[in-house]
Amino acid sequence: QSVLTQPPSVSAAPGQKVTISCSGSYSNIGSNYVSWYQRFPGTAPKLLIYDKNKRPSGIPDRFSGSRSGTSATLGITELQTGDEADYYCGTWDSSLNAVVFGGGTKLTVL
Amino acid sequence: QVQLQESGPGLLKPSETLSLTCTVSGDSVSSGSNYWTWIRQPPGGGLEWIGCVDYSGSTKYNPSLKSRVTISLEPSNNQFSLELSSVTAADTAVYYCARGEGYSNYPIPYWGQGTLVTVSS
């Protein structure tokens, strides 16, 4: 059972917007910003969003992140079929003294 | 460009010790404020942080694995390593080495390609 809670799957049509939620507690999301990762089958995760909605070089601004209390949200606009992947949230948990992740959300672009 | 590459045996028997090495290029494991990190992902499962070591050799471990894990630096080879003792089938996973940023939010921008370790008798 993951410390952070994500929906197992989400879906949307090409060109539409989708959001993926990540729910935690004060000791993780409530205290530290979440990072979001994209993972295609057979490849390593890629950092998409970190800190307060920062994107590494090369990540398009179609990807965005936000936080409210003990929940975080990844937003993806202008969906493309190439966005079909698994998405994970993760951050430091100050009580566990460990990095914690969500269980992952599979995005399907219909 | 920072690159990481895992190496080590891909098949172990129950009760053996898993030993993996991560070779780093484009950065030094013995300087800076980064967390040299191990993460694993079991088949069909999610990501699990195993632990990390910083440039000074100071370590942090996942409480659920702490009794079996050792992560250490090998500065002369610009490597860091993972040892996980008394493995069982539940330790079967893809193991990633990675570089985490050394502050509280702990984003992880650099990952190795991952190596599959299977535990089977």
Side-chain angles (χ1 to χ4, degrees):
Chain A
Q1 196 77 334
S2 301
V3 173
L4 305 181
T5 301
Q6 298 180 235
S9 63
V10 296
S11 62
Q16 298 299 304
K17 174 181 178 177
V18 71
T19 60
I20 298 173
S21 62
C22 175
S23 178
S25 64
Y26 177 76
S27 63
N28 41 67
I29 298 177
S31 302
N32 302 297
Y33 283 108
V34 158
S35 297
W36 287 95
Y37 303 89
Q38 177 190 59
R39 194 182 78 88
F40 296 104
T43 69
K46 177 198 292 188
L47 179 65
L48 289 179
I49 297 289
Y50 66 103
D51 291 354
K52 190 177 181 182
N53 197 25
K54 293 181 181 177
R55 285 173 284 107
S57 174
I59 302 300
D61 60 6
R62 299 188 298 108
F63 295 89
S64 64
S66 62
R67 180 180 73 173
S68 178
T70 58
S71 292
T73 301
L74 173 69
I76 311 172
T77 61
E78 300 173 18
L79 273 173
Q80 303 172 2
T81 55
D83 295 330
E84 280 203 346
D86 294 324
Y87 292 83
Y88 295 89
C89 56
T91 190
W92 182 256
D93 189 298
S94 304
S95 289
L96 295 174
N97 283 320
V99 173
V100 292
F101 290 102
T105 298
K106 181 176 181 59
L107 169 63
T108 301
V109 181
L110 301 167
Chain B
Q1 176 72 354
V2 179
Q3 294 184 314
L4 303 98
Q5 177 68 57
E6 306 87 353
S7 59
L11 181 62
L12 294 172
K13 290 182 168 52
S15 80
E16 292 185 332
T17 295
L18 179 158
S19 295
L20 295 175
T21 297
C22 183
T23 301
V24 178
S25 58
D27 195 0
S28 170
V29 301
S30 52
S31 64
S33 59
N34 303 305
Y35 293 138
W36 301 103
T37 299
W38 289 97
I39 290 165
R40 69 181 183 179
Q41 185 162 27
L47 298 169
E48 181 179 32
W49 181 80
I50 300 170
C52 67
V53 60
D54 70 13
Y55 74 98
S56 70
S58 177
T59 54
K60 304 177 193 289
Y61 296 133
N62 188 321
S64 68
L65 297 169
K66 187 173 184 176
S67 64
R68 298 195 290 132
V69 172
T70 302
I71 297 175
S72 56
L73 282 180
E74 300 174 23
S76 61
N77 295 321
N78 210 35
Q79 296 173 332
F80 62 105
S81 62
L82 167 69
E83 288 197 342
L84 180 66
S85 64
S86 305
V87 299
T88 69
D91 295 310
T92 293
V94 175
Y95 285 74
Y96 296 100
C97 62
R99 194 193 88 176
E101 301 301 293
Y103 59 99
S104 59
N105 296 335
Y106 206 127
I108 306 171
Y110 299 104
W111 297 69
Q113 65 184 24
T115 186
L116 175 62
V117 177
T118 302
V119 180
S120 174
S121 56

